[in-house]
Amino acid sequence: MPGQLAGLDFVVLVAYLGGTLLLGLFLGRGMHTGKDYFLAGRNLPWWVIGMSLVASDIGGTDIIGVGGAAYSYGMAVGNFEWIGCIPAMLIGAFVFIPFFWRSGVYTIPEFMERRYNAAVRAALAVCWLGFMACNLGIMLFASAKMMNGMLGLEFLAADYQTLAYILLTAALVGVYTYAGGLAAVVYTDTIQCVVMIGGCLLVVVMGINEFGGLGPLRDAVRENEAQVRQAQIAELEAADPIDERELQHLKNADPDHIEHTELILPVDTRSPFPWPGILIGLAMVLSPAYWFGNQAIVQRSLGAKSEFQAKASYVSGALLKNLIPIIIAVPGVIAFAKFPELKDADTAFPTLVAHLLPSGLRGLFLAAFLAALMSSVDSYLNSAATIITNDFYMRFYKPDISDEHVLSVGRVATIVLLIWAIGFATAVSFMEGSGIYTIFQTLMAFFQGPALAILLCGVLWRRATGIGAFVGFVTGVAFSVTLFALNQQAVYTALGIEPLFQIADPFLYFSVWAFLVSLTVIIIVSLCTKPEPDEKIAGLVYHRHLRAAEKKD
């Protein structure tokens, strides 16, 4: 097949992965206690954390998923970095991250119990654990997608090829993850970050050069959009019944308009990225919830040497984030210009890499991709194990255990989670209709809005109560899942109603409405229940924390 790895590619692949594994195992030799494993002894420098944040956030899911979304919908997906990451990271750097670091907690759910109660902690921990466990499977499946596009196991049937790649990746990750802790994750991430950015930039430059510059690339995209539009019109006209609304939408489209190069899409766009969803659902809900409350992200800053280094890590990561849409979204647009008839958008990036890169560089890029995937999986494994150990095992089963026992429990949890991830990845491989990135974002939309609501109320409003937070969170999650169910064709057809949202995969709107419902319920129930004692929330609510710090000074 075109793009199969040559002997030189395998040499580069084995050498790079072997070096990364050895570095991770070497750093993992220092793991003696739970604090070492989960927080790296709180001894991490800012620049390492900053690069680790970026490396994990652009792991296998994003390389494949964002490239696929850009192939289908264009550069509007880049707003998930420019609008969806940078503002939230800067706010988090100066408000929430130093606040959490000073609190001395291991997990965000742990902070929620201190502020509210054990019920809120357990509910949030269950949601984060469920999301992380599913996301691990999605990451393994993303790796299988990339390897399917570049490696050849032609003696196996297509379904068995995917399973083989999932098992291979899981084996590589399992060895690295079991031995290493947070320190191994972030230090190896620095290498992976540099190689990933370099490899993706190489694909962008070679792709643009393939067309002879940006002008010819835009012309090719315009031409392919017109061809795809005509094919869709023909398909709709042959359908029974005919979707008149969609048909008129396509016929009225401006032939000179290039949607793939637009950053701001109108309200009636058929893509999942209309501007209200981006501005409100992403910038104001999903992004803050992710960067303020995602355990896999925040846990890195909790391992910083000092409060200043925790702040600096987020600022440096935000600066580096400016480059990310260019290196992971643009290749999807280039792939659309080059290969407009791909059946599966998630194969866009692998197909482009296989076509553009020569022998040796293909192996390096695949090695970098797998290394980035390993860093992301390791991060989520480590964070999910932290939640299992701290928020469930130690909180509800054995509170008084030694640090060595904590380390053992964390490693057992890592193995169990990896086995689960293999099973979930296999299940995802049989799912059709939505891309990897959409699955990932929809899972987050179920609980990110309610999670942000209880976090903001807990940190910024002293009157918020534990009962209000629990009822608001559960109500918001239930509301989000209900919106998702009512927007499924089988459900709204059976009920005889119109779909709630006209866009494809409206996860951004799920998060907005769930956030507003949760916020409303938290406020109403909190005002109707007894306030939390002042001595309980001292140092946990933002303005009171500042007063406490001023008195201390």
Side-chain angles (χ1 to χ4, degrees):
M1 62 178 284
Q4 274 192 307
L5 299 191
L8 179 60
D9 294 308
F10 282 107
V11 171
V12 173
L13 177 64
V14 172
Y16 186 79
L17 285 180
T20 303
L21 283 170
L22 288 175
L23 177 60
L25 291 171
F26 175 77
L27 293 171
R29 294 177 62 192
M31 299 297 106
H32 302 297
T33 66
K35 187 176 181 180
D36 293 334
Y37 196 72
F38 298 130
L39 293 183
R42 300 195 80 174
N43 197 38
L44 297 173
W46 64 269
W47 61 273
V48 169
I49 300 174
M51 295 185 74
S52 178
L53 289 171
V54 174
S56 292
D57 194 48
I58 60 166
T61 304
D62 289 270
I63 296 296
I64 297 294
V66 176
Y71 180 90
S72 298
Y73 307 114
M75 285 300 298
V77 71
N79 288 316
F80 275 77
E81 302 294 332
W82 285 319
I83 296 177
C85 289
I86 296 172
M89 292 179 76
L90 293 176
I91 294 172
F94 294 101
V95 179
F96 292 92
I97 296 307
F99 188 71
F100 293 144
W101 191 90
R102 288 193 294 258
S103 300
V105 296
Y106 277 55
T107 68
I108 299 300
E110 180 184 352
F111 175 83
M112 289 300 173
E113 180 177 13
R114 294 189 186 183
R115 175 59 181 87
Y116 293 123
N117 54 41
V120 176
R121 177 180 186 173
L124 186 60
V126 165
C127 286
W128 270 117
L129 183 60
F131 167 73
M132 289 180 178
C134 293
N135 196 33
L136 286 170
I138 294 173
M139 290 175 179
L140 290 181
F141 178 58
S143 72
K145 282 269 189 178
M146 175 63 84
M147 296 171 79
N148 258 330
M150 298 188 67
L151 296 175
L153 289 180
E154 296 180 356
F155 58 90
L156 290 176
D159 291 342
Y160 289 106
Q161 286 185 31
T162 301
L163 178 59
Y165 292 132
I166 289 172
L167 292 173
L168 176 61
T169 306
L172 289 170
V173 173
V175 174
Y176 175 85
T177 305
Y178 182 82
L182 186 62
V185 175
V186 295
Y187 279 106
T188 54
D189 279 356
T190 59
I191 301 172
Q192 295 154 0
C193 182
V194 172
V195 175
M196 274 306 306
I197 290 176
C200 291
L201 272 177
L202 181 63
V203 173
V204 172
V205 172
M206 294 184 68
I208 294 174
N209 185 65
E210 176 99 350
F211 285 91
L214 291 175
L217 174 61
R218 284 174 56 87
D219 293 339
V221 171
R222 181 190 292 109
E223 181 180 342
N224 287 344
E225 281 190 357
Q227 292 177 359
V228 170
R229 189 159 49 244
Q230 290 303 315
Q232 291 174 335
I233 290 174
E235 183 178 343
L236 285 173
E237 288 177 336
D240 184 21
I242 297 176
D243 188 340
E244 293 291 347
R245 179 185 299 177
E246 181 67 16
L247 184 61
Q248 288 303 314
H249 174 79
L250 292 173
K251 287 184 175 181
N252 295 334
D254 182 358
D256 294 324
H257 176 72
I258 309 177
E259 186 167 290
H260 273 73
T261 60
E262 294 292 325
L263 289 177
I264 307 299
L265 298 181
V267 176
D268 62 349
T269 180
R270 293 316 192 250
S271 85
F273 314 120
W275 73 262
I278 292 292
L279 180 62
I280 302 173
L282 176 64
M284 296 184 181
V285 180
L286 275 181
S287 179
Y290 181 84
W291 290 100
F292 303 165
N294 186 334
Q295 179 63 30
I297 297 297
V298 175
Q299 188 170 336
R300 287 163 161 71
S301 65
L302 297 179
K305 289 181 179 180
S306 65
E307 180 183 329
F308 169 80
Q309 303 236 15
K311 292 180 186 177
S313 67
Y314 259 55
V315 173
S316 64
L319 292 174
L320 197 54
K321 272 287 186 180
N322 282 285
L323 185 62
I324 302 308
I326 296 173
I327 67 173
I328 62 176
V330 171
V333 177
I334 295 173
F336 176 76
K338 188 70 179 176
F339 312 104
E341 297 181 356
L342 291 179
K343 300 294 184 183
D344 184 355
D346 285 334
T347 63
F349 208 125
T351 302
L352 187 65
V353 169
H355 173 77
L356 290 177
L357 298 186
S359 176
L361 290 180
R362 282 199 300 267
L364 180 61
F365 184 87
L366 181 58
F369 170 83
L370 291 176
L373 175 87
M374 289 167 64
S375 74
S376 298
V377 174
D378 189 292
S379 302
Y380 275 85
L381 277 176
N382 187 261
S383 296
T386 306
I387 288 178
I388 290 175
T389 305
N390 287 272
D391 296 313
F392 292 108
Y393 190 85
M394 292 177 62
R395 176 61 182 84
F396 299 106
Y397 183 59
K398 284 189 176 181
D400 300 319
I401 59 175
S402 66
D403 276 345
E404 291 74 16
H405 190 177
V406 172
L407 177 60
S408 299
V409 172
R411 283 179 165 162
V412 170
T414 297
I415 295 174
V416 173
L417 286 164
L418 194 61
I419 294 172
W420 155 267
I422 293 172
F424 191 78
T426 305
V428 169
S429 68
F430 293 101
M431 295 174 64
E432 297 181 356
S434 294
I436 290 174
Y437 199 65
T438 299
I439 297 172
F440 175 82
Q441 296 295 341
T442 301
L443 285 173
M444 284 206 301
F446 285 158
F447 71 96
Q448 286 282 65
L452 179 64
I454 63 173
L455 178 60
L456 292 181
C457 288
V459 172
L460 302 177
W461 188 40
R462 64 175 300 274
R463 189 62 180 78
T465 66
I467 297 175
F470 180 76
V471 174
F473 181 76
V474 173
T475 302
V477 172
F479 187 78
S480 182
V481 173
T482 301
L483 289 180
F484 174 79
L486 290 176
N487 209 61
Q488 301 305 300
Q489 184 175 4
V491 176
Y492 65 70
T493 301
L495 295 176
I497 61 175
E498 291 292 319
L500 297 179
F501 305 97
Q502 297 302 316
I503 66 171
D505 304 309
F507 52 82
L508 292 173
Y509 290 130
F510 297 162
S511 64
V512 174
W513 286 108
F515 171 76
L516 293 175
V517 167
S518 289
L519 188 64
T520 302
V521 172
I522 292 169
I523 292 173
I524 293 174
V525 175
S526 293
L527 292 176
C528 294
T529 52
K530 184 179 179 181
E532 302 290 350
D534 286 344
E535 56 271 18
K536 176 182 177 180
I537 64 174
L540 298 177
V541 181
Y542 190 68
H543 74 283
R544 286 177 170 263
H545 183 87
L546 291 180
R547 290 177 185 173
E550 289 171 359
K551 290 180 180 180
K552 186 176 179 180
D553 292 339

